[in-house]
Amino acid sequence: MARYEKNVSNMEGFKKQGGTVIALATEGDAKIPQLANHTFFIPKAPELLSPILEIVPLQLFAYYIAAKRGLDVDRPRNLVKSVTLE
C-alpha cells in the first residue's frame, strides 16, 4: 500500500499545481477517480501482478497519444534515460 499512498500524494500535488491528472486505478477504487480528471480502470489482481496489468494500457496510451500528435513513435527525439533512486 505504500506505492498507492505515494501515488495519491503525488496526484494531490499535481492537482494543487493546476495539472491535469490521467490515472490508472483498480476496479472499485473510489479515491483515485475523485482526484483524477480522467480514470482508466484495470481488474483487481495480486500486488506483484499489478505492474504487468498497468504497463500494457499505459504503453498503448502513450503510443496513441504520440501518434495522434504526429510524433514518430519509433524514434523519439531527446529521449532521456535515467534511473531515479529514493
Side-chain angles (χ1 to χ4, degrees), residues 11-78:
M11 289 171 62
E12 290 169 343
F14 295 141
K15 291 294 280 191
K16 285 180 185 174
Q17 295 176 16
T20 300
V21 177
I22 301 171
L24 199 62
T26 304
E27 289 177 341
D29 188 322
K31 192 170 191 176
I32 299 296
Q34 291 176 350
L35 293 171
N37 298 90
H38 306 281
T39 307
F40 297 97
F41 292 96
I42 59 170
K44 288 184 179 182
E47 191 165 352
L48 292 176
L49 183 60
S50 291
I52 296 169
L53 293 176
E54 295 165 358
I55 289 169
V56 174
L58 290 173
Q59 286 181 331
L60 288 171
F61 179 73
Y63 172 82
Y64 285 111
I65 291 296
K68 187 163 183 84
R69 292 183 64 198
L71 302 174
D72 184 356
V73 296
D74 292 325
R75 297 208 182 266
R77 295 179 66 204
N78 303 320

Side-chain angles (χ1 to χ4, degrees), residues 1-12 31-32:
M1 281 300 173
R3 184 171 72 119
Y4 179 84
E5 293 303 325
K6 184 169 183 172
N7 285 333
V8 167
S9 175
N10 287 337
M11 289 171 62
E12 290 169 343
K31 192 170 191 176
I32 299 296

